[in-house]
Amino acid sequence: MDGSSSTLTEGKRKPVVIITIGMAGAGKSTFVQRINSYLHSLDPPSPPYILNLDPAVTHVPFDPNIDIRDTVNYKEVMKQYNLGPNGGILTALNLFTTKLDQVLDLVEKRAETVDYVILDTPGQIEIFTWSASGAIITDAVASSFPTVVAYIIDTPRTTAPATFMSNMLYACSILYKTKLPFILVFNKTDVQPHDFAVEWMQDFEAFQMALNSHSGTTDSEGEPTYMNSLMNSMSLVLDEFYKHLKAVGVSSMTGAGVKEFFEAVEASRTEYEKEYLPELQRARASRDKSLQAVKEESMTRFMKDLSIDRERNPNAALRDRWRPEDEDDDEDPDVNIVDRSEEPWPGQYIDVTRSRKGDSESVNWPRPS
Ligand SMILES: Nc1nc2c(ncn2[C@@H]2O[C@H](COP(=O)(O)OP(=O)(O)O)[C@@H](O)[C@H]2O)c(=O)[nH]1
Ligand SMILES: [Mg+2]
């Protein structure tokens, strides 16, 4: 397989965005580090553009181009909003998302020179998958670039049929939420080969057998327990779901399987262009239309309120004029997302919680009223 693409004549292809998602400890960050070093080792090397979106990580095993920790200090966020760790991470991600346009600009600028953009997400899976910010980030990148989800699974911890199934159901829910090409990455194959998983995914009966051979599946009268019959019927649902995904086994420790992972990514690119992109555009068009309707309706309501108000209180409008000269022209330079790979990185830490000019004491984050 050579690296040259058939579309070279049409100029550079768009980079593929790989979003890594997975339970805490599944090995997302280690995986990102591994695929990063793999891409560097190619001939010619193809360094990816990496975004770290985990504000709470203390050590990142790779050099991110954009690091959420440069923009938001999640511990400071915890203090100022009186939040626990999860709330702090979520709020940090929300704050970062308010700067997403800058992030996308930076990625867009590099789109000509990189083949892959990689996102490492917060340790706790739900912070990214079930938050508004996660959805906004995912939607934004997926509408600009071919995007795939790499769902990282802790293979040694998923050998019990019930655990395996709950993990697959979680993956399933993310697939239906993101509607993006999906690659199941069975990680840590150096500890536990993933062939059992492949067998269970391909052979429905093998999985049911594994399920039934586990203890606690029948009650004292030999009837299948509620849990067991529930799992049996859910595994039928999953059978359908498996048809929509690719599975690869990798070891982020040794690098085994990484090549196969990238083959799956390339296949997903085609899938994205053929299936997901048209669907995405359709969805967006209909969303724009309904958004437009909402806007028009609220505008009409607003104009009506205004005219009632004018009638009741004809002089109020005069007093309420906006006088630009009253505004101080303190142009807030705003917080900037830094691209470490572009700017000379002087090592400064940008703490957005204290960045407003002349207002170093009080907190000025938006707060829910
Ligand atoms: N044996 C083995 N351990 C791994 C592998 N990938 C990750 N780990 C370990 O799993 C733990 C969690 O990894 P990390 O990347 O921080 O997980 P994250 O929370 O999903 O980002 C670390 O101790 C890693 O060293 C692998 O392929 N094999
Ligand atoms: Mg991590």
Side-chain angles (χ1 to χ4, degrees):
M1 199 183 67
D2 71 352
S4 67
S5 76
S6 55
T7 48
L8 270 182
T9 43
E10 300 160 20
K12 164 88 174 56
R13 296 192 304 171
K14 281 197 156 192
V16 178
V17 180
I18 302 168
I19 304 180
T20 58
I21 288 176
M23 305 284 173
K28 297 179 287 296
S29 304
T30 318
F31 177 72
V32 170
Q33 181 265 326
R34 172 55 67 187
I35 58 177
N36 178 35
S37 75
Y38 171 84
L39 291 170
H40 273 93
S41 75
L42 290 178
D43 184 27
S46 167
Y49 196 78
I50 309 184
L51 280 73
N52 170 41
L53 300 183
D54 187 353
V57 68
T58 48
H59 168 73
V60 187
F62 46 83
D63 242 341
N65 298 78
I66 295 176
D67 193 333
I68 186 173
R69 296 175 305 165
D70 294 331
T71 314
V72 209
N73 179 340
Y74 103 100
K75 289 213 167 130
E76 202 53 41
V77 169
M78 270 170 72
K79 262 194 232 150
Q80 295 189 9
Y81 288 85
N82 278 326
L83 297 166
N86 274 350
I89 297 170
L90 180 61
T91 308
L93 190 66
N94 289 344
L95 293 170
F96 180 81
T97 307
T98 63
K99 305 288 168 200
L100 189 62
D101 51 339
Q102 286 184 37
V103 176
L104 289 174
D105 279 350
L106 287 171
V107 177
E108 203 79 58
K109 258 203 244 162
R110 289 300 206 82
E112 287 294 312
T113 49
V114 299
D115 292 323
Y116 299 99
V117 177
I118 307 171
L119 268 61
D120 189 15
T121 58
Q124 307 289 339
I125 188 169
E126 62 277 13
I127 287 175
F128 192 78
T129 51
W130 301 111
S131 67
S133 305
I136 290 168
I137 294 171
T138 308
D139 282 357
V141 294
S143 54
S144 315
F145 302 100
T147 305
V148 311
V149 172
Y151 185 77
I152 317 293
I153 298 159
D154 192 332
T155 315
R157 291 215 190 164
T158 197
T159 52
T163 317
F164 180 79
M165 198 172 67
S166 68
N167 215 332
M168 290 301 113
L169 284 170
Y170 208 107
C172 186
S173 67
I174 296 169
L175 173 77
Y176 287 119
K177 186 162 161 60
T178 62
K179 300 191 181 67
L180 286 169
F182 210 86
I183 304 171
L184 292 177
V185 178
F186 288 97
N187 191 28
K188 311 194 185 180
T189 50
D190 54 300
V191 181
Q192 166 71 55
H194 74 301
D195 39 3
F196 74 92
V198 173
E199 194 197 349
W200 287 349
M201 289 172 70
Q202 282 170 352
D203 184 353
F204 173 68
E205 279 167 8
F207 180 70
Q208 295 234 313
M209 243 152 68
L211 207 54
N212 293 334
S213 66
H214 263 245
S215 58
T217 53
T218 49
D219 60 19
S220 52
E221 275 138 49
E223 292 292 312
T225 56
Y226 164 70
M227 199 55 198
N228 190 241
S229 34
L230 177 68
M231 289 207 288
N232 267 318
S233 40
M234 283 200 294
S235 57
L236 271 169
V237 178
L238 284 174
D239 208 38
E240 182 58 34
F241 159 70
Y242 295 146
K243 291 180 192 144
H244 297 281
L245 9 123
K246 301 177 184 63
V248 291
V250 304
S251 165
S252 303
M253 215 60 123
T254 67
V258 172
K259 190 162 167 286
E260 287 74 16
F261 170 75
F262 276 102
E263 285 164 10
V265 170
E266 281 310 317
S268 302
R269 173 206 288 275
T270 323
E271 214 178 288
Y272 170 90
E273 282 159 1
K274 276 210 194 114
E275 292 173 31
Y276 293 86
L277 198 56
E279 178 58 35
L280 209 68
Q281 283 159 346
R282 250 197 314 276
R284 192 188 289 167
S286 83
R287 194 170 56 201
D288 283 355
K289 226 161 104 192
S290 58
L291 205 65
Q292 189 60 29
V294 170
K295 273 190 202 153
E296 271 163 21
E297 202 221 293
S298 71
M299 199 60 198
T300 324
R301 198 155 5 120
F302 172 69
M303 295 309 277
K304 215 162 91 196
D305 286 353
L306 206 62
S307 63
I308 295 174
D309 203 45
R310 286 246 170 87
E311 265 168 36
R312 283 201 198 137
N313 197 354
N315 290 327
L318 286 174
R319 271 185 271 120
D320 245 6
R321 283 281 150 78
W322 170 57
R323 289 199 302 266
E325 63 274 16
D326 287 355
E327 302 260 305
D328 53 18
D329 51 348
D330 174 19
E331 276 279 333
D332 192 298
D334 222 340
V335 188
N336 286 310
I337 301 287
V338 279
D339 182 333
R340 290 154 169 269
S341 50
E342 238 168 44
E343 309 290 325
W345 179 246
Q348 86 271 33
Y349 175 77
I350 302 177
D351 181 354
V352 290
T353 55
R354 302 203 176 280
S355 66
R356 290 279 175 92
K357 247 200 281 175
D359 194 1
S360 51
E361 290 309 299
S362 64
V363 185
N364 41 34
W365 284 109
R367 284 161 189 275
S369 48

